[in-house]
Short mmCIF file of all heavy atoms in Angstrom, two decimals:
data_model
loop_
_atom_site.label_atom_id
_atom_site.label_comp_id
_atom_site.label_asym_id
_atom_site.label_seq_id
_atom_site.Cartn_x
_atom_site.Cartn_y
_atom_site.Cartn_z
N ARG A 471 136.72 119.85 2.01
CA ARG A 471 136.33 120.26 0.66
C ARG A 471 136.42 121.80 0.65
O ARG A 471 135.81 122.48 1.46
CB ARG A 471 134.94 119.74 0.42
CG ARG A 471 133.87 120.32 -0.53
CD ARG A 471 133.95 121.52 -1.28
NE ARG A 471 132.92 122.51 -1.04
CZ ARG A 471 131.81 122.65 -1.76
NH1 ARG A 471 131.53 121.84 -2.72
NH2 ARG A 471 130.98 123.62 -1.50
N GLN A 472 137.21 122.35 -0.30
CA GLN A 472 137.46 123.79 -0.38
C GLN A 472 137.15 124.26 -1.78
O GLN A 472 137.93 124.02 -2.70
CB GLN A 472 138.93 124.08 -0.05
CG GLN A 472 139.38 123.61 1.34
CD GLN A 472 140.86 123.31 1.40
OE1 GLN A 472 141.68 124.15 1.09
NE2 GLN A 472 141.22 122.10 1.80
N ALA A 473 136.01 124.93 -1.94
CA ALA A 473 135.58 125.36 -3.28
C ALA A 473 135.31 126.85 -3.29
O ALA A 473 134.90 127.44 -2.30
CB ALA A 473 134.32 124.61 -3.69
N THR A 474 135.58 127.47 -4.45
CA THR A 474 135.16 128.85 -4.66
C THR A 474 134.20 128.86 -5.85
O THR A 474 134.40 128.11 -6.81
CB THR A 474 136.37 129.80 -4.86
OG1 THR A 474 135.90 131.14 -4.98
CG2 THR A 474 137.20 129.43 -6.07
N ILE A 475 133.15 129.66 -5.75
CA ILE A 475 132.05 129.60 -6.71
C ILE A 475 131.80 130.99 -7.29
O ILE A 475 131.80 131.98 -6.56
CB ILE A 475 130.77 129.07 -6.01
CG1 ILE A 475 131.01 127.63 -5.51
CG2 ILE A 475 129.56 129.13 -6.94
CD1 ILE A 475 129.95 127.10 -4.59
N TYR A 476 131.60 131.06 -8.60
CA TYR A 476 131.36 132.35 -9.24
C TYR A 476 130.35 132.20 -10.37
O TYR A 476 130.38 131.21 -11.10
CB TYR A 476 132.68 132.91 -9.81
CG TYR A 476 132.52 134.27 -10.47
CD1 TYR A 476 132.35 135.41 -9.69
CD2 TYR A 476 132.52 134.40 -11.85
CE1 TYR A 476 132.19 136.66 -10.28
CE2 TYR A 476 132.37 135.65 -12.45
CZ TYR A 476 132.20 136.78 -11.65
OH TYR A 476 132.03 138.01 -12.24
N GLY A 477 129.49 133.20 -10.53
CA GLY A 477 128.54 133.23 -11.64
C GLY A 477 128.87 134.37 -12.58
O GLY A 477 128.96 135.52 -12.13
N PHE A 478 129.11 134.05 -13.85
CA PHE A 478 129.37 135.09 -14.86
C PHE A 478 128.05 135.75 -15.25
O PHE A 478 127.08 135.06 -15.58
CB PHE A 478 130.04 134.48 -16.09
CG PHE A 478 131.44 133.98 -15.82
CD1 PHE A 478 131.67 132.66 -15.48
CD2 PHE A 478 132.53 134.84 -15.87
CE1 PHE A 478 132.96 132.19 -15.21
CE2 PHE A 478 133.81 134.39 -15.60
CZ PHE A 478 134.03 133.06 -15.28
N LEU A 479 128.04 137.09 -15.24
CA LEU A 479 126.83 137.85 -15.57
C LEU A 479 126.90 138.38 -17.00
O LEU A 479 127.96 138.81 -17.45
CB LEU A 479 126.70 139.08 -14.66
CG LEU A 479 126.53 138.89 -13.16
CD1 LEU A 479 126.42 140.27 -12.48
CD2 LEU A 479 125.29 138.09 -12.87
N LYS A 480 125.77 138.38 -17.68
CA LYS A 480 125.67 139.07 -18.97
C LYS A 480 125.54 140.57 -18.70
O LYS A 480 124.77 140.99 -17.83
CB LYS A 480 124.44 138.58 -19.74
CG LYS A 480 124.49 137.14 -20.19
CD LYS A 480 125.39 136.92 -21.40
CE LYS A 480 124.77 137.46 -22.68
NZ LYS A 480 125.55 137.03 -23.88
N THR A 481 126.26 141.39 -19.48
CA THR A 481 126.19 142.84 -19.27
C THR A 481 124.81 143.38 -19.66
O THR A 481 124.13 142.82 -20.52
CB THR A 481 127.22 143.57 -20.15
OG1 THR A 481 126.93 143.28 -21.53
CG2 THR A 481 128.65 143.15 -19.83
N PRO A 482 124.43 144.53 -19.04
CA PRO A 482 123.17 145.17 -19.42
C PRO A 482 123.14 145.52 -20.91
O PRO A 482 122.08 145.45 -21.54
CB PRO A 482 123.12 146.42 -18.54
CG PRO A 482 123.94 146.05 -17.34
CD PRO A 482 125.04 145.17 -17.86
N ALA A 483 124.29 145.88 -21.49
CA ALA A 483 124.31 146.24 -22.91
C ALA A 483 124.00 145.02 -23.79
O ALA A 483 123.31 145.12 -24.80
CB ALA A 483 125.67 146.82 -23.29
N SER A 484 124.51 143.85 -23.38
CA SER A 484 124.30 142.66 -24.21
C SER A 484 122.98 141.97 -23.92
O SER A 484 122.46 141.22 -24.75
CB SER A 484 125.45 141.66 -23.98
OG SER A 484 125.35 141.07 -22.69
N LEU A 485 122.41 142.23 -22.74
CA LEU A 485 121.13 141.61 -22.37
C LEU A 485 120.27 142.66 -21.65
O LEU A 485 120.28 142.76 -20.43
CB LEU A 485 121.36 140.41 -21.45
CG LEU A 485 120.15 139.52 -21.17
CD1 LEU A 485 119.70 138.77 -22.42
CD2 LEU A 485 120.44 138.54 -20.05
N PRO A 486 119.55 143.48 -22.45
CA PRO A 486 118.71 144.52 -21.85
C PRO A 486 117.60 143.90 -20.99
O PRO A 486 117.20 142.76 -21.21
CB PRO A 486 118.11 145.25 -23.07
CG PRO A 486 118.86 144.75 -24.26
CD PRO A 486 119.45 143.43 -23.91
N ASP A 487 117.11 144.70 -20.03
CA ASP A 487 116.11 144.18 -19.09
C ASP A 487 114.90 143.49 -19.74
O ASP A 487 114.44 142.47 -19.23
CB ASP A 487 115.64 145.30 -18.15
CG ASP A 487 116.71 145.63 -17.10
OD1 ASP A 487 117.68 144.86 -16.98
OD2 ASP A 487 116.55 146.65 -16.41
N PRO A 488 114.36 144.05 -20.85
CA PRO A 488 113.21 143.34 -21.44
C PRO A 488 113.52 141.89 -21.80
O PRO A 488 112.64 141.03 -21.74
CB PRO A 488 112.90 144.18 -22.69
CG PRO A 488 113.42 145.55 -22.37
CD PRO A 488 114.64 145.32 -21.52
N LEU A 489 114.79 141.61 -22.17
CA LEU A 489 115.16 140.23 -22.49
C LEU A 489 115.45 139.40 -21.24
O LEU A 489 115.31 138.18 -21.24
CB LEU A 489 116.37 140.20 -23.43
CG LEU A 489 116.12 140.67 -24.87
CD1 LEU A 489 117.41 140.58 -25.67
CD2 LEU A 489 115.03 139.84 -25.53
N VAL A 490 115.86 140.10 -20.15
CA VAL A 490 116.12 139.39 -18.90
C VAL A 490 114.84 138.71 -18.40
O VAL A 490 114.88 137.62 -17.84
CB VAL A 490 116.66 140.37 -17.82
CG1 VAL A 490 116.71 139.71 -16.44
CG2 VAL A 490 118.05 140.87 -18.18
N VAL A 491 113.70 139.36 -18.62
CA VAL A 491 112.44 138.81 -18.12
C VAL A 491 111.60 138.20 -19.24
O VAL A 491 110.41 137.97 -19.08
CB VAL A 491 111.59 139.88 -17.39
CG1 VAL A 491 112.27 140.26 -16.09
CG2 VAL A 491 111.35 141.10 -18.27
N ASP A 492 112.21 137.93 -20.38
CA ASP A 492 111.44 137.36 -21.49
C ASP A 492 112.24 136.26 -22.17
O ASP A 492 113.25 136.52 -22.82
CB ASP A 492 111.09 138.46 -22.50
CG ASP A 492 110.28 137.90 -23.66
OD1 ASP A 492 109.88 136.71 -23.60
OD2 ASP A 492 110.07 138.65 -24.63
N ASN A 493 111.78 135.04 -22.00
CA ASN A 493 112.38 133.95 -22.76
C ASN A 493 111.25 133.16 -23.42
O ASN A 493 111.19 131.94 -23.36
CB ASN A 493 113.22 133.04 -21.87
CG ASN A 493 114.13 132.12 -22.69
OD1 ASN A 493 113.92 130.92 -22.75
ND2 ASN A 493 115.11 132.69 -23.37
N THR A 494 110.36 133.93 -24.05
CA THR A 494 109.14 133.31 -24.56
C THR A 494 109.41 132.29 -25.66
O THR A 494 108.60 131.41 -25.88
CB THR A 494 108.15 134.36 -25.10
OG1 THR A 494 108.88 135.30 -25.87
CG2 THR A 494 107.44 135.07 -23.98
N ASN A 495 110.54 132.38 -26.32
CA ASN A 495 110.80 131.35 -27.33
C ASN A 495 111.37 130.08 -26.70
O ASN A 495 111.56 129.08 -27.39
CB ASN A 495 111.71 131.88 -28.45
CG ASN A 495 113.13 132.13 -27.95
OD1 ASN A 495 113.44 131.87 -26.78
ND2 ASN A 495 113.99 132.61 -28.81
N GLY A 496 111.65 130.14 -25.40
CA GLY A 496 112.07 128.94 -24.68
C GLY A 496 113.49 128.47 -24.99
O GLY A 496 113.90 127.44 -24.49
N ASP A 497 114.22 129.21 -25.80
CA ASP A 497 115.55 128.74 -26.20
C ASP A 497 116.56 128.97 -25.08
O ASP A 497 116.94 130.10 -24.78
CB ASP A 497 115.99 129.49 -27.47
CG ASP A 497 117.39 129.09 -27.92
OD1 ASP A 497 117.99 128.18 -27.29
OD2 ASP A 497 117.88 129.69 -28.89
N ILE A 498 117.00 127.87 -24.46
CA ILE A 498 117.92 127.95 -23.32
C ILE A 498 119.27 128.54 -23.71
O ILE A 498 120.00 129.09 -22.89
CB ILE A 498 118.08 126.56 -22.67
CG1 ILE A 498 118.91 126.63 -21.37
CG2 ILE A 498 118.66 125.55 -23.64
CD1 ILE A 498 118.92 125.34 -20.58
N TRP A 499 119.66 128.47 -24.99
CA TRP A 499 120.97 128.95 -25.44
C TRP A 499 120.89 130.30 -26.15
O TRP A 499 121.84 130.74 -26.79
CB TRP A 499 121.64 127.90 -26.35
CG TRP A 499 121.73 126.58 -25.66
CD1 TRP A 499 121.02 125.44 -25.96
CD2 TRP A 499 122.54 126.24 -24.50
NE1 TRP A 499 121.33 124.44 -25.07
CE2 TRP A 499 122.26 124.90 -24.17
CE3 TRP A 499 123.45 126.96 -23.73
CZ2 TRP A 499 122.87 124.25 -23.08
CZ3 TRP A 499 124.06 126.33 -22.65
CH2 TRP A 499 123.76 124.98 -22.35
N ARG A 500 119.74 131.00 -26.02
CA ARG A 500 119.56 132.27 -26.71
C ARG A 500 120.67 133.28 -26.40
O ARG A 500 121.13 134.00 -27.29
CB ARG A 500 118.21 132.89 -26.29
CG ARG A 500 117.91 134.22 -26.97
CD ARG A 500 116.76 134.95 -26.29
NE ARG A 500 117.14 135.42 -24.95
CZ ARG A 500 116.31 136.03 -24.11
NH1 ARG A 500 115.04 136.19 -24.45
NH2 ARG A 500 116.74 136.43 -22.92
N ASP A 501 121.10 133.35 -25.13
CA ASP A 501 122.04 134.39 -24.71
C ASP A 501 123.48 133.92 -24.72
O ASP A 501 124.35 134.53 -24.10
CB ASP A 501 121.65 134.89 -23.31
CG ASP A 501 120.19 135.32 -23.27
OD1 ASP A 501 119.72 135.91 -24.27
OD2 ASP A 501 119.53 135.04 -22.26
N TRP A 502 123.78 132.81 -25.39
CA TRP A 502 125.12 132.25 -25.47
C TRP A 502 125.75 132.61 -26.81
O TRP A 502 125.10 133.17 -27.69
CB TRP A 502 125.06 130.74 -25.23
CG TRP A 502 124.54 130.40 -23.85
CD1 TRP A 502 123.26 130.63 -23.38
CD2 TRP A 502 125.26 129.84 -22.75
NE1 TRP A 502 123.17 130.24 -22.06
CE2 TRP A 502 124.37 129.74 -21.66
CE3 TRP A 502 126.58 129.39 -22.59
CZ2 TRP A 502 124.76 129.22 -20.42
CZ3 TRP A 502 126.96 128.87 -21.36
CH2 TRP A 502 126.06 128.79 -20.29
N SER A 503 127.01 132.30 -26.97
CA SER A 503 127.74 132.72 -28.17
C SER A 503 127.24 131.98 -29.41
O SER A 503 126.61 130.92 -29.31
CB SER A 503 129.24 132.43 -27.99
OG SER A 503 129.45 131.02 -27.96
N ASP A 504 127.55 132.55 -30.57
CA ASP A 504 127.21 131.88 -31.84
C ASP A 504 127.86 130.50 -31.89
O ASP A 504 127.27 129.54 -32.39
CB ASP A 504 127.69 132.72 -33.02
CG ASP A 504 126.88 134.01 -33.16
OD1 ASP A 504 125.78 134.08 -32.57
OD2 ASP A 504 127.36 134.95 -33.83
N GLU A 505 129.10 130.41 -31.35
CA GLU A 505 129.81 129.13 -31.36
C GLU A 505 129.03 128.08 -30.58
O GLU A 505 128.84 126.94 -31.04
CB GLU A 505 131.21 129.31 -30.74
CG GLU A 505 132.09 128.08 -30.83
CD GLU A 505 133.48 128.31 -30.22
OE1 GLU A 505 133.79 129.44 -29.80
OE2 GLU A 505 134.25 127.33 -30.17
N VAL A 506 128.56 128.45 -29.40
CA VAL A 506 127.77 127.50 -28.58
C VAL A 506 126.46 127.16 -29.29
O VAL A 506 126.06 126.00 -29.35
CB VAL A 506 127.49 128.12 -27.17
CG1 VAL A 506 126.41 127.33 -26.44
CG2 VAL A 506 128.78 128.14 -26.35
N ARG A 507 125.80 128.17 -29.82
CA ARG A 507 124.51 127.95 -30.46
C ARG A 507 124.62 127.01 -31.67
O ARG A 507 123.71 126.27 -31.98
CB ARG A 507 123.89 129.28 -30.87
CG ARG A 507 123.48 130.14 -29.66
CD ARG A 507 123.01 131.53 -30.08
NE ARG A 507 121.91 131.49 -31.04
CZ ARG A 507 120.66 131.19 -30.74
NH1 ARG A 507 120.33 130.88 -29.51
NH2 ARG A 507 119.74 131.19 -31.67
N ALA A 508 125.78 127.08 -32.33
CA ALA A 508 125.94 126.29 -33.57
C ALA A 508 126.26 124.82 -33.30
O ALA A 508 126.08 123.98 -34.16
CB ALA A 508 127.06 126.90 -34.42
#
Side-chain angles (χ1 to χ4, degrees):
R471 154 354 238 264
Q472 302 153 55
T474 184
I475 297 169
Y476 181 74
F478 293 94
L479 297 180
K480 294 284 287 190
T481 61
S484 71
L485 190 68
D487 286 349
L489 289 180
V490 170
V491 291
D492 180 8
N493 194 250
T494 44
N495 69 2
D497 178 4
I498 186 171
W499 305 110
R500 181 194 69 184
D501 307 322
W502 298 66
S503 67
D504 291 343
E505 186 179 356
V506 166
R507 292 174 56 75

